[in-house]
Amino acid sequence: DTGVSQNPRHKITKRGQNVTFRCDPISEHNRLYWYRQTLGQGPEFLTYFQNEAQLEKSRLLSDRFSAERPKGSFSTLEIQRTEQGDSAMYLCASSWDRVSDTQYFGPGTRLTVL
Amino acid sequence: SQQGEEDPQALSIQEGENATMNCSYKTSINNLQWYRQNSGRGLVHLILIRSNEREKHSGRLRVTLDTSKKSSSLLITASRAADTASYFCATEDSNYQLIWGAGTKLIIKP
């Protein structure tokens, strides 16, 4: 399967712990996006990369959140000192570097903070 | 913040009927996209319509875009049980960001 993959699919953690999620985009896609989705809502943009450069960050991304894409391939999203409000589905998407190109989404990582 | 607003929030119809969902947005866009999400699953891209297009078809899907009214509609014809899902519109702005609505929950009754 050459789609976008995310690991883990589910993560349960205690408040105050750090968590890290991984996203493997479709190979050769230049752009990689992270979104957060809570129940009954549409996704909210968090950040995006063009190759290894992080070009845009939402104000939703507090200093507890950090994302990397070190070699322009896979990406990680880390949340430090998790809070119950961080509980959500974290979605990753990738696309080509072209105007009006489709974003392909992974299955998401569901985070539950107890 | 969410730009798109889907209408209705929920829609329940009989199998075989047509389903129409609407989306309104606020700012200028490069394109507007419709996605489907089944319960607990990832988002699947359905169709993209560019800002200079007015109508697009893909199988049983028909999308219209009215940039003067900043609105779009998604029509699913001859609905099937498998069409049961949440449908989201997303607008792409000049920074290539997708801004999403809260979705329409569609239920197809057999």
Side-chain angles (χ1 to χ4, degrees), chain A residues 57-87:
Chain A
K57 287 170 65 172
S58 163
R59 64 179 181 277
L60 294 173
L61 216 63
S62 76
D63 57 6
R64 297 184 298 104
F65 288 71
S66 62
E68 294 183 342
R69 194 182 183 197
K71 297 181 180 177
S73 57
F74 73 92
S75 175
T76 57
L77 177 68
E78 181 183 15
I79 309 174
Q80 296 181 326
R81 305 181 303 281
T82 52
E83 302 172 355
Q84 286 186 325
D86 297 330
S87 294

Side-chain angles (χ1 to χ4, degrees), chain A residues 9 31 33 35 37 40-45 48 56 59 89 91 98-103 105-107 110, chain B residues 1-2 30-31 33 35 37 40-45 48 50 88 92 95-103:
Chain A
R9 295 290 306 276
R31 294 192 201 145
Y33 306 80
Y35 295 87
Q37 185 179 25
Q41 298 296 314
E44 294 175 298
F45 170 80
Y48 107 88
E56 190 94 20
R59 64 179 181 277
M89 177 76 86
L91 298 167
R98 295 181 301 217
V99 176
S100 294
D101 207 11
T102 301
Q103 294 185 22
F105 281 79
R110 182 167 296 284
Chain B
S1 63
Q2 297 190 316
N30 289 337
N31 62 68
Q33 304 179 32
Y35 285 79
Q37 186 175 42
R41 290 183 158 180
L43 287 147
V44 174
H45 182 262
L48 180 154
R50 292 180 169 77
F88 294 91
E92 183 186 274
N95 294 320
Y96 309 124
Q97 276 191 43
L98 281 183
I99 306 173
W100 301 73

Side-chain angles (χ1 to χ4, degrees), chain A residues 13-30:
Chain A
T13 191
K14 293 183 179 178
R15 192 175 51 187
Q17 298 293 306
N18 298 344
V19 294
T20 300
F21 311 140
R22 176 177 170 129
C23 170
D24 287 90
I26 293 172
S27 60
E28 299 174 2
H29 273 186
N30 306 95

Side-chain angles (χ1 to χ4, degrees), chain B residues 57-97:
Chain B
H57 295 83
S58 175
R60 294 183 296 112
L61 306 180
R62 174 179 168 251
V63 168
T64 62
L65 179 64
D66 186 336
T67 52
S68 67
K69 295 180 180 177
K70 290 187 167 57
S71 67
S72 172
S73 68
L74 170 67
L75 169 68
I76 303 174
T77 60
S79 62
R80 306 168 181 169
D83 295 329
T84 294
S86 290
Y87 291 80
F88 294 91
C89 73
T91 53
E92 183 186 274
D93 66 14
S94 55
N95 294 320
Y96 309 124
Q97 276 191 43

